[in-house]
Amino acid sequence: MKVLIVGGRGKADFLMNSLLDKKNSVTLIHDDEEYCRQLARKYDTTIICGDGTKRYILEEAEIENQDIVIALTPKDCANFVICQLAKKVYGIKRAFATVNNPKNVDVFKKLGIDSAISATYVVSNMIEQLATINDLSHLTVMESGHIHLMELLVKEQDPIVNQQIKDIDISEEMIISCIIRNNQALIPKGDTFILSGDKLIILSTSTQPQSFIGQLVGDSYETR
């Protein structure tokens, strides 16, 4: 799969690492020259310094050959332009964007953007489709610190083993958004049982999300 990422910092780095590890082809466009140099030292892939809303920059990145375009800039209008150019001008079938103003989510979707992600919306759908969940860091901060993504490996001795999610006492500031079981992604429901060896992908809006992990497995937790 060929993926073009435009903008972003932590999110772009995370997605590049995940996608490249699965042998996808990734191209990045970013307008910060120093950040481009930093990523170029870290990844063996095409990185272009420039404004991703400009057609000549997109064409330099060979946008017409991409399967997916992901716009992660801090400006909603720029992300919209990038996705619209990708779909309307270059015929890209799938375009994704982050949205800083939650009010713009429905607008983006009505205008043809396949997925618009905001801190007020569950992000697991995008992660499931585009990222290698096995390689998530144990704590990833998104949306300017307002949402945290954690990975929790369930061990046999943990008190939540063999319990249904509906019976687990969990903070209202947390949600188990995805379960990785035998390398398969499961979207959990209330009657889903937690098994030893499961990898839980947890979203939290708490400023100290690690403090809630004790509710699930005790005083310590392990990633991977």
Side-chain angles (χ1 to χ4, degrees), residues 109-120:
K109 290 182 178 179
K110 287 178 182 178
L111 294 174
I113 309 305
D114 298 290
S115 183
I117 308 300
S118 169
T120 58

Side-chain angles (χ1 to χ4, degrees), residues 12-14 16-17 20 38-45 47:
D13 193 351
F14 161 68
M16 288 179 69
N17 181 67
L20 287 169
Q38 178 183 333
L39 292 181
R41 291 191 292 267
K42 185 175 181 179
Y43 299 111
D44 182 18
T45 192
I47 297 176

Side-chain angles (χ1 to χ4, degrees), residues 67-81:
D67 298 308
I68 296 175
V69 171
I70 306 172
L72 302 176
T73 82
K75 297 180 180 179
D76 288 359
C77 58
N79 290 339
F80 178 73
V81 168

Side-chain angles (χ1 to χ4, degrees), residues 5-10 12 16 28-41 47-53 57 72-74:
I5 300 172
V6 184
R9 284 189 174 269
M16 288 179 69
L28 175 77
I29 297 174
H30 203 285
D31 60 4
D32 186 321
E33 187 173 352
E34 179 55 36
Y35 189 61
C36 288
R37 291 196 189 98
Q38 178 183 333
L39 292 181
R41 291 191 292 267
I47 297 176
I48 297 170
C49 185
D51 182 352
T53 64
I57 294 293
L72 302 176
T73 82

Side-chain angles (χ1 to χ4, degrees), residues 120-199:
T120 58
Y121 283 72
V122 177
V123 298
S124 60
N125 184 52
M126 179 179 180
I127 295 167
E128 180 186 355
Q129 294 184 53
L130 300 179
T132 307
I133 301 181
N134 286 338
D135 288 331
L136 291 176
S137 60
H138 73 281
L139 175 62
T140 302
V141 181
M142 299 181 291
E143 300 296 341
S144 301
H146 296 297
I147 190 167
H148 298 79
L149 181 69
M150 293 176 288
E151 175 186 291
L152 173 65
L153 179 63
V154 180
K155 294 179 287 186
E156 186 174 356
Q157 66 270 28
D158 292 334
I160 61 173
V161 170
N162 296 325
Q163 286 198 46
Q164 290 181 308
I165 288 179
K166 65 182 180 181
D167 296 327
I168 297 173
D169 184 17
I170 189 170
S171 168
E172 293 182 356
E173 297 180 66
M174 294 175 58
I175 183 172
I176 300 173
S177 62
C178 187
I179 298 175
I180 307 304
R181 181 178 297 164
N182 298 324
N183 294 320
Q184 297 293 320
L186 307 176
I187 302 302
K189 300 179 181 179
D191 59 357
T192 301
F193 281 90
I194 302 297
L195 304 181
S196 176
D198 282 353
K199 190 172 291 185

Side-chain angles (χ1 to χ4, degrees), residues 139 141 145-148 150 171 173-174 203-215 221:
L139 175 62
V141 181
H146 296 297
I147 190 167
H148 298 79
M150 293 176 288
S171 168
E173 297 180 66
M174 294 175 58
L203 290 172
S204 173
T205 58
S206 169
T207 56
Q208 294 182 315
Q210 299 96 321
S211 64
F212 292 120
I213 293 299
Q215 298 177 350
Y221 68 96

